[in-house]
Every structure is written in C-alpha cells, then in structure tokens.
C-alpha cells in the first residue's frame, strides 16, 4: 500500500507545486498589459467618474504609471516601452484636446482624438515590425505556459503564417480604432448633437465588440491551434 500511495502523493505534490508556477508565469506574461494599459485606463475612469475629478486632473494622474514605465525603459533598459509610451501619448493628446472649448460639435469630435492616436500608433508599430497589440495577444495564446511560450517564440522567429497572424491582430485593432474615430468625427458634424451624445458611445461599444469577435476568430483561434499542434508534434 505504501508503494501505491507514494506515486499518488508525489503526483499531488507536483501538481500543487506546478499550480503556483503556472499562475506566476501567466501573471508575468499579463503584467505588461495590466501595468501599461489596464491600470492607467482604470485610474482615469475611477478618478473622473468615481471621484468626480476633472478631465485634465484625471488624465494627468493616470499618466503617472505609463510615464514612469516609459522613463524606466529608456533609462534602465535602453529601449522604449511601446505600450506604456502609447498610453502616455494618448493621454497627452487628451490633455491637449481638453483645452478645446466652444463649438459643441468640436467638443464631441475631440473625443475621437485619443482613439485615433492609439489606432495610428498601432498601425505604425506593425509597419515598424513591433506590433503593439502583441502585449495582449501573446498571454492568451501561450496561457503562461513555458512550452507554449517557447513554441510562440520559435514560430515568430520563422516569419511564416504565425508571424503574419500576429501582425494581422494589430492591424485589425489599429484599423478598427482609427475607423471608429473617423465615424464619430463624421457623425459629430453631420448628425444632430442630441443623437451623437448617445450614438458616440454606441459606435465605440459596437466597434470593440465586433473587433474582439473578428480578431478572435481570424487570429487568436488559429494561433492557439497552431501552437497546440506544434506541441503535440513535439510530444509524439
């Protein structure tokens, strides 16, 4: 009985030991996305909507983390943290646009400035060979698993279909965000102000939802399948 119990005990111990490691790996892969995008965005909405802080104050305070992360990357690692720099640039654009006052249609249109900035930056990053949306894509495909991450790195290095899918993910989001900004600007100057007050938010919600589904079906799903097939071939 003791011989039968030992392997089971070992397996249980190994599983329990592996669980924190897997969780830690998943957190490490998600950490850049959380720190560089989620925290600043959540901070802005918490300060502006939750605590009633003005737009300029909320944008300024929510820029602290991405500004620090960008500066740290330049000084310590001698590289620009793309995602943090993007959020910082979008916040700066928002701060500048918050100074605009007067024409109510211009006030509606200026909300698209941040979205357009992000969309253009994402598309530029693809052209530069460093797709910004990879920070959000990679954790979901690799699931924080070391073997899946190793397969990801190898496939990206081969510059085949897998790398094209990686770029496609950023292209889809860049085009969607820039297109959404254009639609809202056109609507601000062609539709009634009362209509655009509610339609602007609806356009953003529909765009994001549609892009999630399209990018999931055309990019995330196929990439997950490719990684799983590669792992299965290695294990055979």
């Amino acid at each position: 009985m003791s011989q039968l119990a030992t392997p089971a005990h070992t397996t249980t111990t190994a599983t329990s030991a592996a669980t924190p490691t897997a969780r830690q790996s998943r957190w490490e892969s998600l950490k850049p996305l959380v720190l560089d995008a989620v925290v600043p965005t959540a901070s802005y909405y918490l300060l502006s909507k939750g605590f009633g802080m003005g737009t300029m104050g909320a944008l300024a305070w929510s820029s602290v983390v991405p500004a620090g992360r960008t500066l740290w990357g330049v000084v310590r690692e001698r590289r620009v943290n793309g995602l943090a720099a993007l959020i910082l640039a979008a916040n700066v654009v928002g701060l500048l646009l918050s100074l605009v006052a007067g024409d109510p249609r211009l006030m509606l249109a200026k909300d698209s400035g941040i979205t357009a900035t992000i969309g253009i930056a994402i598309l530029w990053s693809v052209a530069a060979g460093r797709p910004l949306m990879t920070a959000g894509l990679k954790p979901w495909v690799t699931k924080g698993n070391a073997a899946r991450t190793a397969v990801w790195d190898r496939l990206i290095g081969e510059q085949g279909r897998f790398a094209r899918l990686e770029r496609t993910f950023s292209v889809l989001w860049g085009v969607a965000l820039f297109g959404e900004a254009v639609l809202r600007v056109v609507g601000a100057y062609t539709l009634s102000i009362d209509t655009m007050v509610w339609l602007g938010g609806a356009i953003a919600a529909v765009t994001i939802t549609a892009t999630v589904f399209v990018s999931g079906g055309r990019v995330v799903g196929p990439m997950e399948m490719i990684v799983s097939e590669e792992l299965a071939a290695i294990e055979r």
Side-chain angles (χ1 to χ4, degrees):
M1 289 296 292
S2 60
Q3 291 178 338
L4 291 174
T6 303
H9 175 72
T10 305
T11 304
T12 304
T13 306
T15 303
S16 0
T19 303
T21 305
R23 287 176 183 169
Q24 184 178 4
S25 299
R26 185 63 177 268
W27 162 244
E28 287 298 323
S29 62
L30 283 171
K31 186 164 66 174
L33 180 65
V34 172
L35 292 178
D36 298 332
V38 176
V39 169
T41 304
S43 299
Y44 169 75
Y45 283 107
L46 179 63
L47 292 170
S48 61
K49 308 300 182 185
F51 293 98
M53 186 179 287
T55 301
M56 290 190 70
L59 282 171
W61 281 107
S62 63
S63 299
V64 171
V65 172
R69 295 267 295 168
T70 302
L71 184 61
W72 176 264
V74 172
V75 173
R76 182 72 181 221
E77 302 173 5
R78 297 292 189 272
R79 68 179 182 86
V80 175
N81 184 321
L83 192 55
L86 171 61
I87 298 300
L88 179 60
N91 282 2
V92 170
V93 170
L95 282 167
L96 294 175
L97 290 175
S98 67
L99 300 174
V100 177
D103 182 5
R105 292 189 180 277
L106 181 58
M107 295 292 287
L108 286 171
K110 75 176 188 179
D111 292 337
S112 303
I114 295 177
T115 308
T117 300
I118 294 174
I120 291 171
I122 291 173
L123 291 174
W124 179 85
S125 73
V126 176
R130 297 185 63 180
L132 283 170
M133 293 302 291
T134 297
L137 172 64
K138 186 175 180 178
W140 298 113
V141 174
T142 61
K143 308 182 190 308
N145 179 278
R148 294 181 70 89
T149 300
V151 171
W152 167 290
D153 293 337
R154 177 173 61 78
L155 292 173
I156 289 296
E158 292 175 359
Q159 294 297 313
R161 180 181 175 228
F162 196 79
R164 289 196 297 273
L165 287 170
E166 179 206 20
R167 294 192 294 271
T168 299
F169 187 77
S170 285
V171 169
L172 286 172
W173 278 99
V175 169
L177 292 174
F178 183 74
E180 181 264 350
V182 171
L183 280 178
R184 287 207 286 169
V185 169
V186 171
Y189 285 97
T190 58
L191 302 175
S192 70
I193 294 173
D194 289 340
T195 298
M196 277 308 297
V197 166
W198 65 265
L199 185 58
I203 290 174
V206 169
T207 299
I208 291 173
T209 303
T211 309
V212 167
F213 277 102
V214 172
S215 62
R218 293 184 62 87
V219 177
V220 180
M223 290 184 83
E224 287 181 331
M225 186 177 297
I226 291 172
V227 170
S228 296
E229 289 173 350
E230 289 288 325
L231 279 177
I234 292 171
E235 291 169 359
R236 281 202 296 267

